[in-house]
């Protein structure tokens, strides 16, 4: 199609998108990000009664070991003000444990629990299925290449000078 591409909208009507918009990587990434976030958010909630931030904290603790709330905020990209709420939810579910930092008793050190490790394993499986759905049009080699390219772009744009 030249000049515009027709897309279906949720209500069944047709929406024309100019080709010049469909060729903009920034727009495509933004739209895909929105759809990806919705798929992951809804999928985790429906299939595992979880949120993406639960996964991020548990994965960080599993991969990098115990940490302070500030360290977890840095590792996961969760705002410090939001981290307390996430940790409260995880603590209530016995997925993490809080203990005073022996070096600074004003601070807590967060550790993943055995139950948290089992939960993380379950969330990995749910996310694998959701990513299969998100990347369905791509074959395995294309999926790997897509992730490598996204990683390279993100690494480039998040480098600190």
């Amino acid at each position: 199609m030249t000049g515009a591409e027709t897309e279906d909208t949720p209500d069944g009507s047709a929406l024309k998108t100019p080709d010049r918009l469909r060729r903009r990587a920034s727009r495509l990434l933004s739209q895909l990000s929105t759809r990806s976030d919705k798929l992951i958010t809804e999928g985790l909630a429906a299939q595992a009664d979880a949120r993406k931030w639960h996964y991020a904290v548990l994965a960080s603790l599993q991969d990098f070991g115990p940490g302070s709330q500030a360290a977890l905020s840095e590792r996961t990209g969760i705002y410090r003000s939001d981290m307390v709420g996430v940790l409260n939810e995880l603590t209530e579910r016995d997925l993490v444990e809080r203990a005073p930092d022996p070096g600074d008793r004003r601070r807590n050190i967060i550790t993943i629990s055995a139950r948290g490790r089992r939960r993380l394993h379950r969330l990995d499986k749910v996310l694998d299925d959701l990513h299969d759905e998100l990347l369905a049009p791509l074959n395995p080699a294309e999926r790997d290449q897509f992730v490598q390219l996204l990683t390279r772009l993100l690494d480039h744009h998040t480098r600190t000078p």
Side-chain angles (χ1 to χ4, degrees):
M1 195 175 245
T2 10
E5 178 127 347
T6 302
E7 298 177 45
D8 289 331
T9 61
D11 67 1
S13 63
L15 175 70
K16 292 190 186 250
T17 302
D19 283 342
R20 68 175 8 120
L21 289 178
R22 291 191 52 84
R23 289 191 312 258
R24 297 289 176 191
S26 59
R27 184 171 193 274
L28 293 171
L29 285 169
S30 177
Q31 288 188 320
L32 184 59
S33 176
T34 298
R35 285 177 169 77
S36 172
D37 192 55
K38 182 178 184 204
L39 175 72
I40 299 303
T41 299
E42 291 175 359
L44 283 172
Q47 297 178 40
D49 187 29
R51 297 188 310 133
K52 63 184 177 181
W53 297 129
H54 295 164
Y55 181 80
V57 169
L58 293 174
S60 174
L61 291 170
Q62 179 67 30
D63 291 355
F64 297 114
S68 67
Q69 291 177 192
L72 286 171
S73 178
E74 291 283 324
R75 292 179 194 170
T76 62
I78 300 171
Y79 291 116
R80 288 182 186 205
S81 58
D82 295 332
M83 181 61 73
V84 173
V86 173
L87 292 175
N88 287 343
E89 292 171 6
L90 293 172
T91 301
E92 287 171 10
R93 296 176 183 203
D94 296 321
L95 302 176
V96 300
E97 298 165 355
R98 287 180 177 154
D101 182 344
D104 182 352
R105 307 220 27 93
R106 297 171 293 175
R107 235 177 21 173
N108 284 321
I109 296 296
I110 315 303
T111 307
I112 190 170
S113 68
R115 186 175 184 173
R117 283 189 288 282
R118 289 190 301 274
R119 180 70 166 164
L120 179 61
H121 183 70
R122 165 81 174 113
L123 294 177
D124 278 331
K125 289 179 181 178
V126 170
L127 283 170
D128 286 346
D129 291 344
L130 292 169
H131 285 136
D132 284 345
E133 184 178 340
L134 177 69
L135 302 175
L138 305 178
N139 67 41
E142 290 171 326
R143 291 176 186 197
D144 289 343
Q145 182 181 24
F146 181 64
V147 170
Q148 289 171 4
L149 291 170
L150 288 173
T151 301
R152 193 163 87 198
L153 284 167
L154 185 60
D155 288 349
H156 172 81
H157 290 286
T158 56
R159 273 190 218 132
T160 48

